[in-house]
Amino acid sequence: MIQNLPPPRAPECRDLPLDALAARIGDELESLAALSAEVQSALSLCIFSEHTDPSAIRGLQGIDRITQALEDLGRLMSAVSTEMPRDVNLHAVPILSRLRLHELVNNLDPSVERTAAVEDEDEGEIQWF
């Protein structure tokens, strides 16, 4: 049986100010840097085997490099956004549709209020992915 489905909606046609997008990218990079620093702190509390491979430890130290790079890139994008002309716009759908994470789309979209990072709960079940 064939169902009568509504016609597909046309993609939303709206502009995305480039300077605002760059500022949002800067904010997101800084948030990711903070998250990376939290991961680094959590790992430093873990107890590793006495026989942990030195190359594995060196690999974990790469998190510090990631954190520093994200912090720098966040500051750079925030500064770049202030130097951009205010009248440059992009089409929102082709740009934002490349992202998979719904929260990231919302955080980068200047027309949507940024969501606050969820605070860690001290209690509850931890689920490993």
Side-chain angles (χ1 to χ4, degrees):
M1 179 173 159
I2 298 176
Q3 296 179 357
N4 292 330
L5 298 175
R9 289 180 39 183
E12 182 182 353
C13 294
R14 64 183 176 86
D15 288 336
L16 186 63
L18 183 58
D19 61 321
L21 175 62
R24 289 288 187 108
I25 292 171
D27 292 344
E28 192 64 23
L29 287 167
E30 290 176 11
S31 295
L32 290 172
L35 181 59
S36 179
E38 288 177 22
V39 169
Q40 186 175 356
S41 294
L43 281 172
S44 70
L45 298 174
C46 292
I47 299 171
F48 291 97
S49 163
E50 288 181 32
H51 305 292
T52 302
D53 185 354
S55 65
I57 299 296
R58 280 191 296 278
L60 290 172
Q61 290 173 337
I63 295 171
D64 184 54
R65 166 88 169 70
I66 292 168
T67 303
Q68 291 179 42
L70 287 170
E71 289 170 345
D72 281 352
L73 289 171
R75 285 190 296 272
L76 176 69
M77 284 305 297
S78 294
V80 166
S81 73
T82 64
E83 297 294 322
M84 290 181 169
R86 302 288 177 249
D87 57 350
V88 177
N89 291 301
L90 305 170
H91 296 292
V93 172
I95 298 297
L96 297 176
S97 67
R98 296 179 184 271
L99 303 174
R100 291 182 292 164
L101 298 174
H102 183 70
E103 180 184 2
L104 184 58
V105 171
N106 287 339
N107 285 346
L108 295 183
D109 188 344
S111 71
V112 177
E113 188 173 333
R114 249 179 94 76
T115 58
V118 177
E119 293 294 321
D120 293 334
E121 295 182 18
D122 291 335
E123 298 177 13
E125 185 178 331
I126 296 174
Q127 296 180 359
W128 295 99
F129 297 99

